[in-house]
Amino acid sequence: MGKKQQKKVQNQEELLKTLGDFTSKENWDSFFTIRGSDDAFEWYAEWSQLKEPLLSNLTIPSSNDAVSAKELQILVPGCGNSKLSEYLYDEGFCNITNVDFSKVVISDMLRRNIRARPVMKWRVMDMTNMQFAKESFGAVLDKGGLDALMEPELGSKLGTQYLSEVKRLLKVGGRFICLTLAESHVLGLLFPKFRYGWKMGIHPIALKPSDRSSLQTFMVVAEKENSPALCQISSTVDQSSFGGLKNQVHGLFQALEDENKIRADYSSGSDITYALEDLKIGVEGNLAELCPSRRVQLSLGEPGVSLFCYRAVLLDAQKDFGPFAYQCAVFLVPKTRAHEWLFSSEEGQWAVVESSKAARLIMILLDSSHSDANMDDIQKDLSPLIMQLVPGDFDDEAQIPFMAASDGIKQRKIVQEITSPLTGPIIVDDVIYEKVDDNISRLFASEDVIFRRLTFQRTESLVQSEAVLSKEGSPKSLADINQKIGQSSSKSKKKGNQKKSGSNVSSSDGLSNDLKVDHSYLASSYHTGIISGFTLISSHLDGLASTGGTVRSVVIGLGAGLLPMFLRKHLSFAEIEVLELDPVVVDLARDYFEFRDDERLKVHVTDGLKYVKDAAHAVTNGYENNVSEAKVPSSNGNSILSSAPLKSTEKIDMLIVDVDSSDSSSGLSCPAADFVEESFLMAAKDSLSDQGLFVINLVSRSQAIKDSIYSKLKSVFPHLFHLQLDEDVNDVIFALKTETCITEDKFHEASQQLTRLLHLENSPWGQNITEATSKIKRLR
């Protein structure tokens, strides 16, 4: 390179430093004012390098629809003072429209070309928001414009807006020709933007011999197809020929490989997430028409266009879901619940569609990016996006309802928050529900019954335990609870409503000392269901009681200790052992739910799975299986002494499994999957006495999962019964070891016998148990 050329390059580099932000109009005005109109500034490559590949991509092959060079409408956004348009004009491409947001450079270029190239047009315009009609151009030629908009520190907002404009302005058969350095962050936007309905290729621009140390320029060509096809991106880039540019070319090949893998997966039918632009061109049929059973995953919103981006699922209801109350509705799922089977699985989503009574439901799965936004802002942001998804015959004056997963909580007070090494974050809170079960209403005169709940955040929508708080049997209202709450729901009782607003929440060290957990009542309907199942062995229980015997009971999963405390209070001849893996849970049960163990009620900090298997082995082989007394660290720094051992030469009369699963995304919320494996079920059966009862609290909205568990249980136990609670997803399953069992016509008499054994024959609670018993059905 000669001294004159070296000085020119050096001056260009110094001048570029004055730009700073490539997206600033003021900076470019200053740049072009200093540079002047006669000194052209070329990004990346000269005409001698670009001529052959450009002309070959701008020349339309001969056909009935052939467009001559003179007729081809070409748009050059971000033209600057490059001579590229002038060279093309001189090659016969006269219909060129040049756009730049710098008034300085457009004025200079117009003066420079007005006589020599009178047909060429020059417009002062922002390339991210161009005032041209849809499908106005047969080619859009970008020389470094996209790269300039994609400054890494500025993000993809301007690049996204610009490429949307390019797609809007190109005719079918038209080509977007983008000259770029092909950096990873640029290709990460460019490739997905031209996925459906575009044929795409990438090619290297030959370097001049004097530029071997420079960065490589590439030409990306995207041709607009007449159908929403999905094609692989072709490439003529040979990685081995770029010895000194390994990092640049490696990034390109990685981006190309990743994108083509995504396209291959999508073509083979893998889970596809569409952009709204893709759906509007018909990749999943005509959105204006309802298509029963259509389910489409999509992304909504773009940086710079909307406040947020959203992950969404569009579902057109099955015909038998009707009649419909809404033609189109939106269902918002908070981040804390998005992982649940009900919202993350296809089967669960259809269940939501059916309950929504909407012909088309658009489910929005919120994430951490929406944490600081209120629902009004999200609804306002979503509304224009949703309007692009409504059926064609939607009444423009009708409002689209926004629904949300809600717990129906009116007031809430957080009592304790703690993190367990085993269970993770745990919350104890006091709540007042907007609506309570009729069973609770019958027992309490106050409208505002207070419940104390134990919730594991890993399954935030699943309340592990809840108790009634009362003073001498009369509940008291919560006060000073005014802050807004996020959404959760309940494991055991009230169904969450679909509503727009949240609940009130406040934080506190605790409630008044005169409010206590009432262990006379079981607030959770599934706990009542478990007790009602004892009807199946009421004759056995009555025999033990009349002969002074003891009913040996094992409960796996302490929770707040409410079920064991109720059994201790009402089943006077029961000896109850509780197996709990997490010492922090034991602390919370004692500190906030008044759980107390004694000679008749003992808690072991141990693995329930291993214990039952060891117990089964012990009773089969005739030796004692002792739970060793071990000091286990607790959450308050003290030690929990595992209670006296359960001697397992005597078999268990009642074995109750009431534990949650740490992975609710599997579709099985309760119990953990290990507790329904055949090996454990066999061990549970072997550990039972001949008249023993095995109980599992099953929580799943998937009928397929339920059927699988039923099948496993049937292969082990001769008799199965279950209680499906009307207002819950809980399915309480009862399995009997004996070959002979009570017939269903004897249930009422047996339930009366059970209420006498529980000393509840004159109590409203006894009536609840009798009513629950009438709903127990045999699983055949």
Side-chain angles (χ1 to χ4, degrees):
M1 185 185 296
K3 290 183 178 180
K4 185 176 180 180
Q5 183 68 15
Q6 285 181 337
K7 185 174 182 182
K8 181 179 179 182
V9 171
Q10 185 178 356
N11 289 340
Q12 285 184 355
E13 291 176 352
E14 289 177 357
L15 193 56
L16 279 173
K17 290 178 182 177
T18 67
L19 275 173
D21 180 4
F22 283 176
T23 65
S24 168
K25 183 177 78 70
E26 290 75 18
N27 286 356
W28 280 109
D29 280 344
S30 176
F31 174 84
F32 288 121
T33 299
I34 296 170
R35 190 175 185 90
S37 61
D38 295 328
D39 189 7
F41 176 67
E42 301 294 348
W43 287 93
Y44 302 162
E46 303 285 348
W47 174 246
S48 60
Q49 301 163 264
L50 297 174
K51 180 178 179 179
E52 183 179 344
L54 271 181
L55 294 183
S56 65
N57 278 288
L58 290 173
T59 302
I60 308 298
S62 297
S63 69
N64 294 333
D65 299 322
V67 178
S68 68
K70 190 174 290 187
E71 294 171 326
L72 183 64
Q73 296 285 342
I74 300 174
L75 174 67
V76 182
C79 61
N81 69 353
S82 168
K83 291 185 177 181
L84 181 61
S85 297
E86 297 169 357
Y87 288 124
L88 286 173
Y89 190 99
D90 295 343
E91 291 289 335
F93 297 93
C94 300
N95 284 307
I96 301 174
T97 300
N98 300 278
V99 166
D100 203 293
F101 65 178
S102 170
K103 186 175 182 180
V104 172
V105 78
I106 290 295
S107 298
D108 286 346
M109 295 301 285
L110 180 60
R111 282 194 296 268
R112 193 167 87 186
N113 288 281
I114 188 66
R115 291 180 180 174
R117 303 172 184 89
V119 181
M120 191 150 58
K121 303 179 185 69
W122 304 89
R123 298 285 184 270
V124 178
M125 202 176 288
D126 184 345
M127 61 196 288
T128 67
N129 184 23
M130 293 180 275
Q131 284 76 57
F132 298 115
K134 181 181 178 182
E135 299 185 353
S136 295
F137 299 94
V140 176
L141 176 55
D142 178 315
K143 189 180 179 207
L146 177 62
D147 287 7
L149 294 176
M150 291 288 289
E151 287 288 297
E153 62 271 16
L154 298 177
S156 61
K157 172 183 174 179
L158 295 176
T160 298
Q161 292 174 321
Y162 167 54
L163 292 182
S164 294
E165 282 289 85
V166 170
K167 293 173 71 173
R168 182 180 69 84
L169 294 175
L170 272 174
K171 300 175 180 179
V172 172
R175 293 176 179 177
F176 175 47
I177 302 171
C178 180
L179 296 164
T180 172
L181 296 180
E183 294 176 281
S184 297
H185 69 285
V186 175
L187 298 182
L189 175 68
L190 182 59
F191 285 166
K193 264 290 193 177
F194 292 87
R195 225 169 238 167
Y196 289 93
W198 296 85
K199 186 166 64 177
M200 204 169 192
I202 184 166
H203 317 282
I205 298 298
L207 291 171
K208 291 192 297 186
S210 59
D211 290 342
R212 289 299 176 189
S213 61
S214 302
L215 289 173
Q216 175 67 46
T217 299
F218 298 90
M219 177 183 288
V220 177
V221 181
E223 183 175 338
K224 193 172 188 177
E225 302 276 80
N226 199 23
S227 65
L230 179 63
C231 305
Q232 291 280 291
I233 301 173
S234 63
S235 171
T236 59
V237 182
D238 181 2
Q239 192 168 6
S240 63
S241 64
F242 298 95
L245 302 168
K246 288 184 178 178
N247 290 338
Q248 183 190 9
V249 178
H250 175 75
L252 182 153
F253 270 87
Q254 189 63 57
L256 185 61
E257 181 182 341
D258 292 345
E259 177 62 21
N260 276 335
K261 183 179 185 304
I262 291 171
R263 293 181 180 218
D265 289 343
Y266 282 10
S267 296
S268 65
S270 297
D271 230 10
I272 303 172
T273 299
Y274 296 105
L276 179 57
E277 289 178 336
D278 298 331
L279 291 180
K280 289 168 71 176
I281 64 173
V283 295
E284 282 290 338
N286 186 358
L287 284 183
E289 297 176 359
L290 288 168
C291 179
S293 299
R294 174 166 52 190
R295 176 181 177 271
V296 180
Q297 297 182 106
L298 67 152
S299 57
L300 287 176
E302 291 181 322
V305 179
S306 55
L307 289 177
F308 302 103
C309 295
Y310 304 91
R311 188 161 55 97
V313 186
L314 181 147
L315 302 117
D316 283 350
Q318 299 165 25
K319 287 183 178 179
D320 58 357
F321 285 0
F324 301 111
Y326 311 105
Q327 195 174 17
C328 185
V330 179
F331 194 96
L332 300 175
V333 181
K335 170 184 174 289
T336 53
R337 302 195 63 185
H339 68 284
E340 292 177 29
W341 174 88
L342 185 62
F343 307 114
S344 64
S345 71
E346 185 171 347
E347 187 182 352
Q349 289 167 359
W350 285 121
V352 177
V353 174
E354 185 173 12
S355 65
S356 73
K357 294 299 178 185
R360 172 172 291 172
L361 186 70
I362 302 164
M363 185 178 291
I364 307 295
L365 302 163
L366 301 177
D367 57 37
S368 55
S369 68
H370 311 112
S371 299
D372 296 331
N374 61 51
M375 287 299 110
D376 289 341
D377 289 340
I378 287 175
Q379 182 173 338
K380 184 177 180 180
D381 192 39
L382 275 170
S383 291
L385 300 170
I386 298 299
M387 288 306 297
Q388 300 179 62
L389 295 171
V390 298
D393 56 353
F394 183 78
D395 184 354
D396 291 339
E397 296 184 2
Q399 284 193 329
I400 298 176
F402 276 70
M403 306 173 184
S406 167
D407 55 7
I409 292 175
K410 182 163 63 174
Q411 295 176 314
R412 179 188 181 208
K413 176 184 288 184
I414 295 175
V415 177
Q416 174 63 292
E417 294 180 88
I418 191 169
T419 299
S420 160
L422 286 177
T423 307
I426 305 175
I427 289 180
V428 177
D429 59 6
D430 293 346
V431 301
I432 294 175
Y433 291 104
E434 293 176 346
K435 181 181 178 181
V436 298
D437 288 345
D438 293 339
N439 291 338
I440 299 295
S441 299
R442 282 204 302 262
L443 297 171
F444 292 86
S446 170
E447 292 183 1
D448 288 341
V449 181
I450 304 167
F451 296 87
R452 174 159 293 178
R453 312 187 308 175
L454 177 71
T455 306
F456 298 164
Q457 291 296 88
R458 68 187 184 193
T459 49
E460 189 171 4
S461 66
L462 207 66
V463 177
Q464 301 300 316
S465 302
E466 64 180 352
V468 174
L469 294 181
S470 65
K471 177 184 179 182
E472 297 178 355
S474 299
K476 179 179 179 180
S477 297
L478 290 172
D480 303 324
I481 304 178
N482 298 308
Q483 300 178 13
K484 230 178 183 182
I485 175 182
Q487 297 163 343
S488 71
S489 65
S490 169
K491 163 186 176 181
S492 57
K493 24 135 264 333
K494 299 100 187 149
K495 269 190 177 179
N497 299 321
Q498 295 172 0
K499 65 172 199 174
K500 297 179 183 177
S501 60
S503 310
N504 293 324
V505 62
S506 66
S507 182
S508 170
D509 293 333
L511 290 170
S512 304
N513 292 330
D514 57 352
L515 287 174
K516 296 184 178 297
V517 172
D518 196 329
H519 287 291
S520 299
Y521 304 98
L522 290 173
S524 297
S525 56
Y526 87 95
H527 276 160
T528 305
I530 289 174
I531 298 296
S532 69
F534 296 173
T535 295
L536 298 169
I537 59 168
S538 61
S539 294
H540 175 57
L541 297 177
D542 190 47
L544 290 172
S546 61
T547 59
T550 301
V551 56
R552 303 184 67 83
S553 307
V554 174
V555 180
I556 302 178
L558 174 65
L562 304 172
L563 179 62
M565 289 290 285
F566 183 86
L567 290 175
R568 178 190 170 280
K569 182 179 180 68
H570 290 283
L571 205 60
S572 58
F573 56 99
E575 187 176 289
I576 306 153
E577 303 282 339
V578 184
L579 312 178
E580 172 56 52
L581 191 61
D582 192 344
V584 175
V585 173
V586 179
D587 276 347
L588 292 172
R590 287 174 170 154
D591 295 343
Y592 296 98
F593 293 87
E594 300 169 46
F595 173 77
R596 299 292 180 265
D597 46 350
D598 55 22
E599 289 304 312
R600 289 183 48 234
L601 172 56
K602 300 179 176 65
V603 61
H604 300 281
V605 178
T606 191
D607 182 350
L609 283 166
K610 183 178 185 302
Y611 177 83
V612 170
K613 291 179 180 180
D614 289 348
H617 187 66
V619 297
T620 302
N621 293 278
Y623 62 84
E624 292 186 354
N625 171 43
N626 292 343
V627 176
S628 58
E629 294 190 86
K631 290 188 176 181
V632 183
S634 70
S635 61
N636 57 23
N638 298 322
S639 295
I640 295 176
L641 183 65
S642 184
S643 303
L646 171 64
K647 300 183 183 297
S648 295
T649 48
E650 294 186 36
K651 295 190 174 185
I652 301 168
D653 295 301
M654 296 190 299
L655 175 57
I656 301 169
V657 176
D658 185 19
V659 295
D660 77 318
S661 168
S662 59
D663 180 20
S664 62
S665 64
S666 66
L668 181 62
S669 298
C670 291
D674 290 341
F675 287 95
V676 289
E677 291 299 326
E678 190 170 337
S679 60
F680 175 78
L681 298 177
M682 288 296 297
K685 180 183 178 183
D686 290 342
S687 70
L688 290 174
S689 64
D690 292 341
Q691 302 295 318
L693 176 68
F694 177 56
V695 185
I696 289 184
N697 175 37
L698 173 62
V699 180
S700 176
R701 294 182 186 270
S702 169
Q703 191 58 49
I705 290 176
K706 288 183 179 182
D707 289 343
S708 173
I709 293 172
Y710 296 159
S711 178
K712 291 178 182 178
L713 284 160
K714 287 175 183 177
S715 70
V716 175
F717 291 93
H719 298 287
L720 287 182
F721 297 84
H722 78 136
L723 172 60
Q724 179 67 62
L725 300 169
D726 292 338
E727 293 299 318
D728 294 331
V729 294
N730 296 69
D731 191 4
V732 185
I733 302 175
F734 309 100
L736 294 171
K737 183 176 181 178
T738 179
E739 292 292 337
T740 59
C741 71
I742 184 173
T743 57
E744 291 176 72
D745 61 328
K746 301 292 185 183
F747 276 9
H748 182 74
E749 180 182 341
S751 69
Q752 298 298 314
Q753 186 178 39
L754 177 63
T755 55
R756 288 195 297 272
L757 291 171
L758 295 171
H759 308 291
L760 292 172
E761 59 268 35
N762 296 316
S763 165
W765 199 251
Q767 182 182 346
N768 294 343
I769 292 172
T770 301
E771 289 178 358
T773 301
S774 67
K775 298 176 183 178
I776 296 175
K777 305 296 180 185
R778 182 184 290 272
L779 273 171
R780 301 186 186 279

